[in-house]
Amino acid sequence: SAVISQKPSRDICQRGTSLTIQCQVDSQVTMMFWYRQQPGQSLTLIATANQGSEATYESGFVIDKFPISRPNLTFSTLTVSNMSPEDSSIYLCSVESTSGILEQYFGPGTRLTVT
Amino acid sequence: RKEVEQDPGPFNVPEGATVAFNCTYSNSASQSFFWYRQDCRKEPKLLMSVYSSGNEDGRFTAQLNRASQYISLLIRDSKLSDSATYLCVVKSTGRRALTFGSGTRLQVQP
């Protein structure tokens, strides 16, 4: 399985500010995924990021609020813009395995609190 | 209706008990099925994939019923370390991302 790291692991931010979360994978991957897990909830997909093209966003998520970069095959960033307390969540990146089963592996997550 | 539905629990069981979790999915185009485990304040980790023929990994048995769009996970001889939230996860044809159920919380008690 891939080894995935995320930075920062946690942060407390003021409303109206932005935070950029980094995701680094130890191998080259075609697709990276960004999920959000709100308190007490399950995971919801924000967007899918391919290298060299714009990210594909799920319903309810827009590029202006969650811009994503994917400069190469091992790295991606997710920015949470103009934050409000409702953005307090855990943000996780994931990658698809290269096995035939296509399961996904997750980074340790970034715990964001917006005050 | 949610695409993947699970009983949220919590399931409180004594050590050594057998416990079963159920999950239903609504998208008949779903092609891959998984159970993930999530410990408190940790990321989800793959527990096992679920195959049409059913599969077993030690104390864990997963089954899939495509006709009923139903997935199950059976845990035998529960250990304290099995306490976690178990997430039913589905991947649909044409989508690379996963769809998660809300999770079933298991608490194994001494």
Side-chain angles (χ1 to χ4, degrees):
Chain A
S1 63
V3 176
I4 307 169
S5 60
Q6 284 184 235
K7 287 183 188 179
S9 59
R10 59 178 63 227
D11 208 341
I12 301 172
C13 301
Q14 290 190 339
R15 68 173 69 208
T17 63
S18 298
L19 175 72
T20 295
I21 302 168
Q22 299 178 8
C23 179
Q24 180 76 52
V25 188
D26 69 342
S27 57
Q28 293 185 337
V29 293
T30 305
M31 285 187 167
M32 294 176 78
F33 305 90
W34 286 98
Y35 290 83
R36 179 175 76 180
Q37 188 171 27
Q38 294 179 300
Q41 305 293 315
S42 191
L43 281 77
T44 301
L45 181 68
I46 298 172
T48 302
N50 281 336
Q51 192 264 336
S53 63
E54 281 206 1
T56 303
Y57 289 81
E58 296 296 298
S59 175
F61 298 96
V62 295
I63 189 170
D64 290 346
K65 176 68 176 176
F66 297 101
I68 288 172
S69 79
R70 184 79 204 274
N72 58 53
L73 291 173
T74 63
F75 186 79
S76 179
T77 67
L78 169 76
T79 298
V80 186
S81 304
N82 188 25
M83 288 184 283
S84 66
E86 293 70 37
D87 294 320
S88 298
S89 283
I90 301 172
Y91 292 86
L92 300 114
C93 68
S94 79
V95 302
E96 197 172 64
S97 83
T98 54
S99 75
I101 303 170
L102 300 180
E103 70 274 21
Q104 288 183 13
Y105 297 98
F106 287 83
T110 296
R111 184 177 295 271
L112 171 62
T113 302
V114 184
T115 61
Chain B
R1 183 185 171 191
K2 290 182 182 177
E3 193 168 336
V4 181
E5 298 216 47
Q6 295 181 249
D7 181 343
F11 284 58
N12 295 303
V13 303
E15 272 186 289
T18 296
V19 61
F21 304 139
N22 302 320
C23 167
T24 58
Y25 60 95
S26 61
N27 187 347
S28 58
S30 299
Q31 61 174 158
S32 302
F33 309 89
F34 311 94
W35 284 101
Y36 277 72
R37 169 191 170 132
Q38 187 172 27
D39 292 286
C40 188
R41 293 179 172 267
K42 298 285 189 181
E43 73 274 21
K45 293 188 177 175
L46 179 68
L47 178 66
M48 58 197 304
S49 303
V50 187
Y51 304 118
S52 295
S53 54
N55 48 303
E56 187 173 309
D57 183 1
R59 298 182 293 110
F60 299 85
T61 301
Q63 294 198 311
L64 167 66
N65 184 322
R66 285 188 184 269
S68 302
Q69 296 184 192
Y70 171 94
I71 306 159
S72 66
L73 177 68
L74 183 77
I75 305 175
R76 290 180 298 278
D77 188 23
S78 300
K79 312 289 185 193
L80 293 175
S81 57
D82 293 334
S83 298
T85 296
Y86 290 83
L87 301 165
C88 177
V89 182
V90 169
K91 179 182 286 190
S92 300
T93 303
R95 271 175 64 84
R96 301 290 285 271
L98 303 177
T99 301
F100 284 78
S102 55
T104 298
R105 195 154 65 88
L106 171 66
Q107 184 67 49
V108 181
Q109 295 163 336

